[in-house]
Amino acid sequence: MKETVIRSLPPGHPWGQSVQYYHTLDSTNTQAKLQARAGAPEGTVLIAGAQTGGRGRLGRQFSSPEGLGLYLSLILRPNCDPSDLMHLTCAAGVATAEAVAAATGLQPGIKWTNDLVIGTRKLGGILTELGLDPATGKVDFAVIGIGINCLQTETDFPSELQNMACSLKMHTPVPCTPAMLAPKLIDALYRMNSRLFFEKAAIMAAFRGSCITLGKEISILKGDSIRRGTASGIDDSGGLLVTFSDGTVETVASGEVSIRGMYGYV
Ligand code: BTN
């Protein structure tokens, strides 16, 4: 896998020598954070054939069966304040959608803020984690973890996900393996990282263009409370603007947002 990925990157790719492959890991994000704390450089990429403890947002599990999905984490070392990185997950989403399009011709949408979707089902997700320097409060490292379902059929998913998850294989006649998608993703992330700060407006415009949440009736779950509104915009930090029935508009920065008709939600 590692050799196939490196061979498929453009020759002399700056991140080509930093790709690590593991047959099985608990979580590529957990391992990437350990390596980042130990000083691993920007561009370090960890790929696992399977994860025994794949993690998603909001403490959820990410189903990571052997050989069927791409499970990849990237270490970045942007020298900035955490507040300057609010758009990082959006940028990673745009790069991942581009990589899927380059590998398969499919054009996935992005469900705010970190899910890749095709139609009404989840194709994959992104988990971004930051490590801060306690002395300065600045970002020491960022780990971007990406999981994409490649070769699963419906019964490969846990039963509770079977009506809400999909894979590339369910949408393409020619199977796209994790090894075929990985080099496209590494290169798309490399190009995204090189424009992360000075092309923020263009990145966010691309995110808005792919974001299927915009214009939809949504439910926002925070703690025990559920509020309903319309997703009316996305600000340049990736915050979701929600318009409520009384005309007020609020920015939602985190939390669970459900869209009627998606993931089996009626
Ligand atoms: C989500 O669905 O909320 C995000 C899922 C992110 C999954 C990827 S797989 C590679 C990396 N390692 C993890 O444990 N999580 C991310």
Side-chain angles (χ1 to χ4, degrees):
M1 165 86 158
K2 181 177 164 177
E3 283 67 34
T4 315
V5 171
I6 294 171
R7 240 187 297 115
S8 309
L9 282 168
H13 195 280
W15 289 353
Q17 294 312 309
S18 325
V19 178
Q20 304 171 21
Y21 178 76
Y22 300 87
H23 180 270
T24 306
L25 282 179
D26 52 350
S27 151
T28 55
N29 262 37
T30 303
Q31 288 301 317
K33 287 200 291 180
L34 288 171
Q35 290 200 14
R37 284 194 197 103
E42 169 151 302
T44 302
V45 173
L46 287 80
I47 300 173
Q51 297 185 117
T52 52
R55 297 186 286 112
R57 256 177 92 235
L58 308 171
R60 301 214 171 106
Q61 292 180 353
F62 186 80
S63 165
S64 311
E66 183 176 345
L68 300 186
L70 176 60
Y71 319 117
L72 178 150
S73 295
L74 163 70
I75 298 173
L76 295 179
R77 291 201 177 271
N79 185 19
C80 65
D81 291 323
S83 58
D84 297 330
L85 278 184
M86 305 288 279
H87 66 308
L88 183 62
T89 302
C90 297
V94 171
T96 306
E98 279 173 15
V100 169
T104 65
L106 294 167
Q107 207 68 64
I110 305 174
K111 177 180 170 285
W112 185 89
T113 178
N114 69 320
D115 282 357
L116 275 287
V117 300
I118 296 182
T120 60
R121 292 180 179 221
K122 176 163 169 163
L123 176 71
I126 298 172
L127 177 65
T128 306
E129 299 183 279
L130 299 184
L132 303 186
D133 178 336
T136 61
K138 287 195 173 276
V139 175
D140 178 27
F141 63 82
V143 167
I144 301 173
I146 299 168
I148 298 291
N149 306 322
C150 294
L151 298 174
Q152 287 93 336
T153 56
E154 197 151 293
T155 50
D156 291 316
F157 293 109
S159 54
E160 67 277 12
L161 298 183
Q162 286 182 3
N163 67 344
M164 52 175 114
C166 70
S167 71
L168 296 174
K169 185 177 174 173
M170 294 173 176
H171 291 277
T172 47
V174 183
C176 175
T177 64
M180 288 156 77
L181 181 58
K184 304 279 187 216
L185 182 56
I186 293 167
D187 190 45
L189 289 167
Y190 174 76
R191 286 183 288 104
M192 176 277 292
N193 186 47
S194 60
R195 53 198 284 260
L196 187 61
F197 293 108
F198 66 93
E199 284 187 42
K200 186 171 165 179
I203 292 169
M204 289 311 299
F207 182 83
R208 286 181 197 101
S210 293
C211 183
I212 55 101
T213 310
L214 279 176
K216 302 254 171 54
E217 299 291 316
I218 57 168
S219 297
I220 305 154
L221 193 71
K222 232 179 190 172
D224 283 343
S225 83
I226 299 184
R227 296 179 75 196
R228 295 202 164 75
T230 303
S232 50
I234 292 165
D235 68 21
D236 274 351
S237 300
L240 185 67
L241 307 184
V242 183
T243 304
F244 295 100
S245 53
D246 62 0
T248 56
V249 180
E250 282 181 32
T251 305
V252 179
S254 62
E256 171 72 352
V257 165
S258 309
I259 305 174
R260 190 170 282 259
M262 297 275 309
Y263 299 177
Y265 164 66
V266 283

